[in-house]
Amino acid sequence: MQMRFDGLLGFPGGFVDRRYWSLEDGLNRVLGLGLGCVRLTEADYLCSHLTEGPHRVVAHFYARQLTLEELHTIEISAVHSRDHGMEVMGMVRVPLYTQKDRMGGLPNFLANSFVGTAKFQLLFALKILNMVPEEKLAEAVAATQRPKKAAIDHSGGAA
């Protein structure tokens, strides 16, 4: 995923003008600007979501399994992309584990703020691609919905 300029987590992508581009051509054009070294095809398509509100947008979601070497290449390329430091602040790896405290790892990651349908897309991909066991994924989501304990002030001073 990417940390965006507005502090929200999201996936690489952008708007595609269907008059000039197929979805995949448009996506690869945008990915070429942001990542430079990955091409997606129709076979990588997972799902689409319609966002509600005054600006209705259809978000098409693609996913591809990468080798560790391919991931490293993308991470290095992303730092040198045109959008790095402007629209995109950096790449972020999603932790696919939960620590023994049941909050560290994926549950804490899911507590971040996501743009549009990105959180739903992430959860959908983790489930449909069997990247996290379904029961562990449900536990991680449930952990983010529990109220957090208030921090204890040990300073003894008055505010």
Side-chain angles (χ1 to χ4, degrees), residues 96-98 106-107 110 122-143:
L96 301 180
Y97 59 86
T98 300
L106 184 58
L110 294 175
L122 171 62
L123 293 171
F124 180 79
L126 293 177
K127 178 181 178 182
I128 202 79
L129 299 174
N130 297 314
M131 296 177 74
V132 176
E134 199 166 338
E135 65 278 355
K136 295 292 184 188
L137 191 56
E139 288 173 12
V141 170

Side-chain angles (χ1 to χ4, degrees), residues 17 33 39 99:
D17 188 332
L33 298 174
R39 287 196 56 80
Q99 293 179 336

Side-chain angles (χ1 to χ4, degrees), residues 4-155:
R4 296 163 29 105
F5 68 95
D6 54 8
L8 300 174
L9 290 169
F11 290 101
F15 292 101
V16 175
D17 188 332
R18 291 294 303 260
R19 294 176 294 176
Y20 306 110
W21 306 92
S22 71
L23 285 175
E24 290 78 20
D25 287 341
L27 176 60
N28 286 316
R29 179 182 56 82
V30 172
L31 289 178
L33 298 174
L35 300 178
C37 56
V38 66
R39 287 196 56 80
L40 298 174
T41 68
E42 196 174 314
D44 299 314
Y45 173 82
L46 276 187
C47 60
S48 297
H49 300 98
L50 175 65
T51 60
E52 297 298 326
H55 306 290
R56 293 170 57 116
V57 174
V58 179
H60 303 284
F61 190 61
Y62 291 73
R64 161 154 325 138
Q65 184 174 346
L66 302 171
T67 65
L68 186 56
E69 293 78 22
E70 289 170 324
L71 179 60
H72 286 159
T73 301
I74 288 171
E75 289 174 331
I76 291 167
S77 178
V79 173
H80 300 289
S81 74
R82 183 192 78 174
D83 293 338
H84 185 77
M86 301 288 285
E87 290 185 31
V88 177
M89 299 297 112
M91 301 294 292
V92 179
R93 290 190 185 191
V94 178
L96 301 180
Y97 59 86
T98 300
Q99 293 179 336
K100 289 182 182 181
D101 67 0
R102 295 191 174 164
M103 279 306 298
L106 184 58
N108 274 342
F109 185 84
L110 294 175
N112 283 301
S113 296
F114 295 80
V115 67
T117 59
K119 185 175 182 178
F120 179 82
Q121 290 170 328
L122 171 62
L123 293 171
F124 180 79
L126 293 177
K127 178 181 178 182
I128 202 79
L129 299 174
N130 297 314
M131 296 177 74
V132 176
E134 199 166 338
E135 65 278 355
K136 295 292 184 188
L137 191 56
E139 288 173 12
V141 170
T144 65
Q145 296 170 346
R146 284 187 226 123
K148 296 196 180 213
K149 294 180 182 176
I152 299 172
D153 181 9
H154 294 286
S155 66

